[in-house]
Amino acid sequence: MSTRTWEGLQLPAAGTFVLDAAHTRVGFVVKHMMVSKTRGNFTDFAGKVTVAENPLESSAELTIQAASINTGNADRDGHLRSGDFLEAEKYPEVTFRSTRVVGHSGDEFTLVGDLTIRDVTKEVELTVEYGGAGTNPWGQDVWGFSISTEIDREEFGLTWNQALETGGVLIGRKVKIEIEGEANPA
C-alpha cells in the first residue's frame, strides 16, 4: 500500500476509499428495561472516505438503508422499521456527511458532521480511531478504523417508549453508535 508518515502515523496516501462491506460493521447499542443492553446493526450500507493531502482536511460519508436494521429478533426489527422508530418506508436512508475534522491526538481523530435520521439532521461528533494500513493476502490495499459516538434518539424523532411498572422506561434515550471496519481504494 502506498502510505506516508504523518505525525508519527503510517497513513494511506491521499485518495478516495470505499468501505469494505464484508469487513465493516455498522452497529448500535441501547439500554433495554433500564437493566441491560440491546445490540443491533445495519446490513446494507455504503460509504467512502476521501483522505486529503492534509489528513485534517479529509472527509467521509455513509448511507445506511434503514430497512436493513437487524437485532436478531424479527418482531423487534419490524417494530424498529415502523413509524414508531425509523419509519423506513417513508425515510429509507440514514446518512452521515462529515463537515470537518476538529482535531486529533495520536491515532484518534475527532470528526464532525451531519447525521440525518427520519429527515431530521443534527450535527454529531465522532471519535475515529485509525487502525493502520496494509496489504491483504490478495494484494489489495486496506486500512482500518473504529468509530464511536452517542446520540439522543429523541432528538431525531425516535420518541416511542413504554413506561415500566417498576419505574423507568423500556428503551433508553441514548444510543451508542459503533462502526468497525476497513476501507479499500475506490
Side-chain angles (χ1 to χ4, degrees):
M1 169 172 239
S2 178
T3 62
R4 61 202 161 126
T5 302
W6 181 81
E7 295 196 14
L9 296 173
Q10 279 301 116
L11 296 180
T16 301
F17 300 83
V18 294
L19 297 188
D20 178 350
H23 296 101
T24 300
R25 181 180 187 278
V26 178
F28 60 90
V29 181
V30 65
K31 278 275 207 181
H32 180 253
M33 293 189 58
M34 313 289 291
V35 298
S36 66
K37 295 177 182 175
T38 295
R39 294 181 182 277
N41 66 297
F42 293 91
T43 59
D44 188 1
F45 56 86
K48 72 177 182 179
V49 178
T50 302
V51 177
E53 281 298 328
N54 174 355
L56 299 178
E57 295 173 2
S58 298
S59 63
E61 59 185 62
L62 175 65
T63 301
I64 300 166
Q65 298 307 310
S68 75
I69 195 165
N70 176 22
T71 64
N73 180 290
D75 289 341
R76 178 173 48 221
D77 295 346
H79 191 202
L80 291 170
R81 290 182 193 104
S82 79
D84 284 344
F85 290 98
L86 293 173
E87 201 168 354
E89 241 179 72
K90 185 174 181 182
Y91 306 106
E93 294 181 341
V94 173
T95 62
F96 173 80
R97 306 267 184 277
S98 69
T99 55
R100 63 197 180 282
V101 178
V102 295
H104 86 97
S105 175
D107 62 358
E108 195 170 280
F109 294 78
T110 303
L111 183 67
V112 174
D114 295 326
L115 176 64
T116 302
I117 303 173
R118 286 181 56 136
D119 217 23
V120 175
T121 301
K122 299 281 182 188
E123 186 174 83
V124 296
E125 185 174 286
L126 309 178
T127 299
V128 180
E129 182 183 344
Y130 173 67
T135 304
N136 70 21
W138 301 274
Q140 186 176 39
D141 292 339
V142 60
W143 58 271
F145 56 87
S146 297
I147 300 170
S148 63
T149 193
E150 187 173 87
I151 63 168
D152 180 337
R153 66 183 178 87
E154 292 187 3
E155 291 180 357
F156 292 91
L158 308 175
T159 59
W160 185 91
N161 221 330
Q162 187 173 347
L164 298 174
E165 287 182 24
T166 56
V169 291
L170 186 63
I171 305 165
R173 286 179 65 160
K174 300 294 183 184
V175 179
K176 184 168 185 172
I177 298 170
E178 302 171 327
I179 304 173
E180 299 282 336
E182 296 178 5
N184 312 110

